[in-house]
Amino acid sequence: MKKYVYLFSEGNKDMRNLLGGKGANLAEMTGIGLPVPQGFTVTTEACTQYYEDGKMISDDIKGQIVEHVKKLEEITGRTLGDPKNPLLVSVRSGARISMPGMMDTVLNLGLNDEVAKEFAATTGNERFVYDSYRRFIQMFADVVKGFPKSDFEHKFDAIKEEKGVEFDTELTAEDLKEVVAVYKEAYKAHAGVDFPQEPIEQLLAAVEAVFGSWNNDRAITYRRLNDIPGSWGTAVNVQQMVYGNRSDKSGTGVAFTRNPATGENKLFGEYLMNAQGEDVVAGIRTPQPIATLNEVMPECYEQFQKICHILEDHYKDMQDMEFTIEDGKLFMLQTRNGKRTAQAALKIAVDMVDEGMINEQEALLKVEPKQLDQLLHPNFDKEDYKAAKAVATGLAASPGAATGHIYFTAEDVQEAHANGVQDMILVRNETSPEDIEGMNLAKGILTVRGGMTSHAAVVARGMGTCCVAGCGVLRVSEDKKTLTLPDGTVLTEGDYVSLNGSTGEVFAQKIKTVPAAISGDFETFMAWADKERKLLVRTNADTPRDAKQAATFGAEGIGLCRTEHMFFEEERIFNFRRMITAEDVETRKEALEKILPYQRGDFEELFKAMDGYSVNIRFLDPPLHEFLPHTDDEIKPLAESLGMTFEALKERVESLKEFNPMMGHRGCRLAVTYPEIAEMQTRAVIEAAINVTKETGHPVTPEIMIPLVGDVKELKYVKNVVVKTADKLIAESGLDMKYEVGTMIEIPRAAITADKIATEAEFFSFGTNDLTQMTFGFSRDDAAKFLGDYYSKNIYEHDPFATVDQEGVGELMKIASEKGRSTRPDIRLGICGEHGGDPKTVEFCHKIGLTYVSCSPYRVPIARLAAAAQAAVKEKMGIL
């Protein structure tokens, strides 16, 4: 019989695929002798089985859960459902990779009317018991049954108002009994039956609910954003309850062994006395800094410090821990590698190497490549910032600077984004996991309540989004969509605010931002990365500005210059339109002669900016309809310049439009029809290379890339035009200049016939945007309209235009690579879509042996780390 349930004493940290991260670490802490409340883990395989069985827990799994309840009863000396000596448990999710707040938790399970009555009598603490009972009913109603959480919250707030109290802790035992009675009535009104009194029934329903939460909307969104496969499932941890709300000598908290925002090697965290864990992470009450625990309970603080050192030494990484103190006794509820900002990640990695805890290769695996994005984006302009006056200060929860229009719900942020608004700040009393989509789109997050370990703070840090939390001097009305400042000023939706996530400052104005500067730990870390990696990293750049920016980030050449992007200025587009609407070769050549100086000048600037690195120039690729005049005001002057009537040119424009332009007259097909285009572009490239070589004294070796090739004959035809033009110019120059001609592999047929194409191509560059589009058979411009349904229904786990589909598109890349090398063993292989900056894709490119990846300038450091270093290190360690 397959084993689906493990006691904590049966597992270890290496079983995270089976036990999930939380379960594996609880087992590991148990194994090294730390004070862990005991329990058991229902495995991830049980979760996947639950879905295979049509969202039903099989009798086999139920039987193993009941069996392990009995084992836990033996370990604890308590019995589930025994009024005199009750075992109460928490039921928590635990995926392989931490997904904070995305799935569900139920606490205080095992309470019912009889247990509550007797437990209150035996503990002599009615208030504690009925506080726990009201929490359990609300959690069970929300998590297990899906009843509106707000319904229970409104009833609770009404009772607090009636009793004239502000905080939960001010309610008496009798008040809480009243809350329990009201909650039970509300539960029955929703469910049509009484609140369940049988603990095993409660437990099985809670386990099923946690399994179900693996596929809730926020969990699916989080997995898609963080490349977590839906097939993994979540484990469920059933653990004996310990109570931070049992007395004034009890408490609960969250702490990190190092500062997750700055990386400082100093214990960092918060706690609340007389509280349960959700009070801290939900931001309902404002917690106290962990250092003050030394004054309140010095023995517990000293013990906790020792445990922190043990865990960090054991895991060789910064730890994020949850703990509870029950009547003066410390218990560890969780440890995991802590989420941290990019700044903190780099500092921690470098410091741990300096401390001798880890080596450089291990340090390279401590930083998530996507995190580096945080370091590469704007901060406040110093002068603007100096002149600005903060209207409030909260907690510096996630560093960076953000300025934008305020919106009060995640849905409003999403709507604003859909309407073209670029800079948005999400303002909330506190965020919840349901806000994940809006948080991902927002440039910054501002909350009135919550601490440094609240949901807003943790998720913002993980996303690299600027966040100011716990700004209690502000007043937010989410219904009225207003933000009231301390001086009484009221801001409404759409008004500007600016946030400094590094200081906690809030400004009621727009503040200019400037690009980030990178140095120090970043430079040290990237130097380690460059020592390890095999892949070269180039950039996609069409302007000298982008090329120079990429060079500062370490780009080793340009892997894609899209020449069509150079035609959109007013004078250029006019002459380009003359060229594409011309009805004869001579008129077309006349227009091309006017375009030639622009192209040549642009290429000269790119060659200079790259200072000896390779520049790969893709010839004209997009459908001509993108450049056609659309309005009468655009057609009239064009007709005059061409000596055509308005009506004749309008008819010509209509004739050039296509039903399916992305699969129409574009790419190399243009050069086959109009070889004079390829001739002009070749002249521009070669003349620019000759000019820069003569000016600088450094040889330029341009790479000319022919796009959208599907047949070797197409490539051969266009290449002949290129070679004839280039060789004549080089001979006339008197230089011994080299150049290369290659192609993009972006049509499935090209991948399958790559051995033939390689007879003419000196290099391949995978254009994975088009290759994905043509392999899947849908338009990348329209797919977003329906891909959301595919994510929600677990058909696709990620956007195939963001991360390469390794089973389909990736297989074509492998075929093309192998066939290309079979013909030309030294062929250079690259990738130049935005996939080139996606860490998961870059790792795949390393595995199939590409020469380089190319991506946008701001993703170059991400590619250097992922591409590079992490893939190479993982390969050395045998984990790739």
Side-chain angles (χ1 to χ4, degrees):
M1 183 174 66
K2 189 169 188 175
K3 186 172 176 63
Y4 286 108
V5 185
Y6 290 76
L7 290 171
F8 292 169
S9 58
E10 296 178 291
N12 60 60
K13 64 181 174 61
D14 298 323
M15 296 172 66
R16 64 186 306 115
N17 288 358
L18 187 64
L19 303 179
K22 189 189 297 285
N25 289 333
L26 285 167
E28 188 74 10
M29 287 196 292
T30 296
I32 62 176
L34 298 185
V36 176
Q38 285 304 287
F40 57 84
T41 300
V42 187
T43 65
T44 56
E45 290 180 349
C47 180
T48 55
Q49 189 64 47
Y50 162 81
Y51 283 102
E52 287 176 13
D53 292 339
K55 297 185 181 180
M56 298 281 290
I57 300 180
S58 69
D59 290 341
D60 181 16
I61 295 172
K62 285 180 182 178
Q64 290 189 42
I65 292 172
V66 172
E67 176 190 339
H68 281 75
V69 167
K70 292 176 182 174
K71 291 182 178 180
L72 183 57
E73 288 173 342
E74 292 173 8
I75 292 168
T76 61
R78 298 175 177 272
T79 304
L80 194 67
D82 182 352
K84 299 290 185 184
N85 187 27
L87 169 64
L88 303 179
V89 296
S90 63
V91 180
R92 300 174 186 261
S93 63
R96 294 190 200 182
I97 294 175
S98 174
M99 297 172 57
M102 297 302 114
M103 291 176 289
D104 292 327
T105 294
V106 178
L107 304 179
N108 308 309
L109 189 144
L111 280 169
N112 57 27
D113 294 347
E114 189 179 0
V115 168
K117 181 180 178 181
E118 291 294 331
F119 194 32
T122 55
T123 60
N125 192 340
E126 277 191 320
R127 194 198 173 285
F128 146 67
V129 172
Y130 283 94
D131 181 47
S132 301
Y133 197 12
R134 65 95 183 170
R135 292 170 186 266
F136 173 45
I137 295 170
Q138 180 174 337
M139 276 191 163
F140 193 90
D142 172 29
V143 170
V144 178
K145 294 298 182 180
F147 301 152
K149 186 178 180 180
S150 58
D151 188 16
F152 292 83
E153 288 175 339
H154 290 328
K155 294 181 188 303
F156 191 53
D157 289 341
I159 290 174
K160 286 200 293 184
E161 186 175 342
E162 178 191 330
K163 305 298 180 183
V165 303
E166 183 178 357
F167 298 110
D168 306 358
T169 51
E170 297 175 276
L171 293 172
T172 66
E174 292 304 314
D175 295 336
L176 289 165
K177 286 181 181 179
E178 184 181 335
V179 173
V180 167
V182 169
Y183 275 11
K184 286 170 62 183
E185 289 174 6
Y187 181 93
K188 187 171 184 178
H190 284 293
V193 295
D194 289 329
F195 184 76
Q197 299 291 298
E198 172 53 53
I200 287 293
E201 178 189 341
Q202 296 172 353
L203 176 60
L204 294 175
V207 171
E208 185 171 352
V210 174
F211 283 162
S213 71
W214 174 249
N215 274 335
N216 66 35
D217 290 342
R218 63 181 185 266
I220 290 171
T221 297
Y222 189 91
R223 290 203 300 271
R224 177 164 52 86
L225 293 174
N226 292 277
D227 295 326
I228 299 172
S231 59
W232 281 2
T234 181
V236 180
N237 299 288
V238 179
Q239 186 175 24
Q240 180 188 5
M241 284 293 303
V242 288
Y243 289 95
N245 64 332
R246 186 157 187 161
S247 69
D248 290 336
K249 291 185 178 180
S250 302
T252 188
V254 176
F256 298 80
T257 55
R258 302 185 189 222
N259 189 310
T262 67
E264 182 185 8
N265 189 1
K266 183 179 178 182
L267 186 60
F268 176 92
E270 298 166 324
Y271 72 99
L272 280 170
M273 298 305 293
N274 201 1
Q276 285 200 337
E278 74 268 23
D279 296 344
V280 179
V281 297
I284 296 168
R285 290 165 55 191
T286 300
Q288 300 301 308
I290 190 70
T292 64
L293 183 62
N294 193 33
E295 302 162 15
V296 179
M297 307 190 80
E299 290 182 3
C300 282
Y301 183 73
E302 184 180 352
Q303 183 188 5
F304 183 67
Q305 280 191 309
K306 289 179 180 177
I307 288 173
C308 289
H309 290 304
I310 290 169
L311 288 173
E312 188 171 276
D313 285 344
H314 188 75
Y315 284 95
K316 308 296 184 189
D317 205 346
M318 182 263 275
Q319 293 299 291
D320 168 6
M321 303 153 295
E322 291 182 17
F323 66 92
T324 287
I325 300 168
E326 182 180 278
D327 285 337
K329 185 176 181 181
L330 176 67
F331 294 93
M332 300 301 297
L333 303 184
Q334 172 178 290
T335 193
R336 61 188 176 193
N337 293 340
K339 293 190 179 295
R340 63 209 78 178
T341 64
Q343 176 188 349
L346 290 173
K347 179 170 176 54
I348 290 168
V350 172
D351 284 355
M352 284 185 168
V353 171
D354 290 343
E355 293 161 15
M357 185 180 292
I358 58 177
N359 61 36
E360 291 177 6
Q361 290 80 14
E362 291 167 326
L364 288 169
L365 301 181
K366 300 294 184 190
V367 178
E368 289 293 328
K370 286 183 179 179
Q371 281 189 300
L372 298 182
D373 210 29
Q374 298 173 31
L375 300 176
L376 310 176
H377 290 285
N379 293 309
F380 287 141
D381 173 82
K382 287 184 180 179
E383 294 303 315
D384 260 26
Y385 178 52
K386 188 176 180 181
K389 184 178 179 181
V391 296
T393 302
L395 300 173
S398 185
T403 189
H405 307 276
I406 57 175
Y407 293 91
F408 295 91
T409 68
E411 292 76 16
D412 288 341
V413 169
Q414 291 170 256
E415 184 177 346
H417 176 73
N419 290 332
V421 180
Q422 295 297 313
D423 300 323
M424 299 157 290
I425 305 293
L426 177 62
V427 179
R428 305 280 279 152
N429 280 308
E430 71 257 352
T431 63
S432 70
E434 283 76 15
D435 295 327
I436 182 71
E437 286 273 20
M439 294 175 75
N440 184 52
L441 292 172
K443 290 291 178 69
I445 298 164
L446 171 63
T447 68
V448 172
R449 296 194 286 267
M452 296 292 283
T453 52
S454 65
H455 176 265
V458 171
V459 173
R461 282 196 295 269
M463 289 179 167
T465 301
C466 169
C467 177
V468 174
C471 196
V473 296
L474 302 176
R475 292 290 177 267
V476 168
S477 171
E478 292 168 4
D479 294 334
K480 296 179 182 177
K481 298 187 178 181
T482 60
L483 172 63
T484 304
L485 307 181
D487 66 0
T489 301
V490 177
L491 303 181
T492 58
E493 183 177 88
D495 286 342
Y496 265 104
V497 298
S498 297
L499 308 177
N500 188 334
S502 301
T503 64
E505 292 170 299
V506 179
F507 303 86
Q509 64 189 92
K510 182 178 181 179
I511 301 178
K512 184 180 174 183
T513 56
V514 294
I518 52 177
S519 60
D521 291 334
F522 182 91
E523 292 181 340
T524 300
F525 191 81
M526 296 310 293
W528 296 343
D530 290 340
K531 277 197 298 185
E532 294 296 326
R533 66 188 172 94
K534 296 177 183 176
L535 278 167
L536 297 174
V537 178
R538 296 189 183 186
T539 188
N540 301 338
D542 318 317
T543 67
R545 183 197 64 197
D546 287 347
K548 288 171 184 174
Q549 181 65 74
T552 66
F553 289 152
E556 299 160 303
I558 292 177
L560 174 64
C561 169
R562 302 173 177 93
T563 54
E564 61 274 5
H565 287 187
M566 298 171 167
F567 293 124
F568 285 106
E569 290 180 15
E570 186 174 352
E571 188 176 351
R572 297 185 181 198
I573 192 69
F574 182 82
N575 283 302
F576 192 81
R577 285 170 173 168
R578 288 188 74 236
M579 185 271 291
I580 62 176
T581 53
E583 294 187 297
D584 58 74
V585 174
E586 291 308 313
T587 307
R588 190 172 303 111
K589 284 187 174 181
E590 180 190 341
L592 286 167
E593 281 296 324
K594 292 184 178 180
I595 294 170
L596 173 63
Y598 302 137
Q599 288 253 284
R600 183 173 57 225
D602 289 337
F603 296 148
E604 286 174 358
E605 292 302 312
L606 288 178
F607 291 143
K608 290 175 186 176
M610 279 295 100
D611 194 25
Y613 280 123
S614 298
V615 176
N616 184 306
I617 296 169
R618 183 182 73 185
F619 276 9
L620 196 62
D621 181 49
L624 293 183
H625 84 284
E626 293 187 9
F627 299 95
L628 290 173
H630 300 290
T631 67
D632 290 353
D633 287 342
E634 291 173 337
I635 292 175
K636 285 174 184 175
L638 194 59
E640 290 174 11
S641 74
L642 290 166
M644 297 174 67
T645 65
F646 170 81
E647 291 75 15
L649 181 57
K650 193 165 188 176
E651 186 177 334
R652 170 72 172 155
V653 167
E654 288 299 317
S655 73
L656 289 170
K657 292 181 179 178
E658 297 178 295
F659 289 110
N660 193 351
M662 291 307 291
M663 298 179 76
H665 198 193
R666 53 173 289 222
C668 66
R669 299 161 196 170
L670 288 173
V672 169
T673 304
Y674 308 124
E676 54 271 21
I677 295 177
E679 186 179 319
M680 181 279 291
Q681 291 202 287
T682 303
R683 280 182 61 195
V685 171
I686 299 302
E687 287 175 359
I690 289 169
N691 292 345
V692 173
T693 298
K694 287 182 176 180
E695 179 183 337
T696 64
H698 301 299
V700 174
T701 304
E703 299 170 5
I704 293 173
M705 183 157 67
I706 311 301
L708 217 71
V709 165
D711 190 295
V712 68
K713 294 175 188 174
E714 287 177 304
L715 177 59
K716 184 174 176 58
Y717 178 86
V718 180
K719 182 181 176 183
N720 285 342
V721 174
V722 171
V723 170
K724 181 180 178 182
T725 305
D727 287 355
K728 182 174 183 292
L729 290 169
I730 293 169
E732 291 171 353
S733 74
L735 294 177
D736 182 22
M737 196 180 79
K738 306 296 182 187
Y739 64 94
E740 295 181 358
V741 180
T743 188
M744 293 184 81
I745 302 293
E746 50 192 333
I747 292 177
R749 190 180 191 281
I752 294 167
T753 62
D755 50 343
K756 295 182 176 65
I757 289 174
T759 61
E760 295 291 338
E762 294 172 89
F763 61 84
F764 289 165
S765 181
F766 290 100
T768 47
N769 292 342
D770 270 322
L771 188 58
T772 297
Q773 179 172 237
M774 295 190 184
T775 302
F776 277 88
F778 51 54
S779 165
R780 65 174 182 260
D781 297 320
D782 299 315
K785 296 174 184 176
F786 59 81
L787 280 179
D789 296 324
Y790 277 60
Y791 304 141
S792 65
K793 294 171 183 176
N794 284 326
I795 297 172
Y796 295 163
E797 291 176 348
H798 56 74
D799 180 352
F801 291 107
T803 297
V804 159
D805 157 50
Q806 294 185 22
E807 290 185 352
V809 176
E811 190 63 24
L812 287 171
M813 291 172 67
K814 285 172 65 178
I815 290 169
S817 298
E818 291 164 3
K819 287 196 165 192
R821 289 193 195 99
S822 70
T823 298
R824 191 184 292 265
D826 62 345
I827 192 167
R828 190 171 58 258
L829 303 169
I831 181 174
C832 61
E834 268 307 288
H835 288 111
D838 169 63
K840 196 170 182 181
T841 301
V842 170
E843 189 173 275
F844 174 72
C845 291
H846 173 93
K847 284 170 67 176
I848 65 172
L850 298 196
T851 314
Y852 69 87
V853 298
S854 187
C855 56
S856 60
Y858 280 90
R859 301 186 88 183
V860 166
I862 296 172
R864 283 169 67 194
L865 173 58
Q870 290 191 345
V873 169
K874 287 178 183 177
E875 187 176 54
K876 281 183 182 178
M877 294 181 174
I879 56 176
L880 183 61

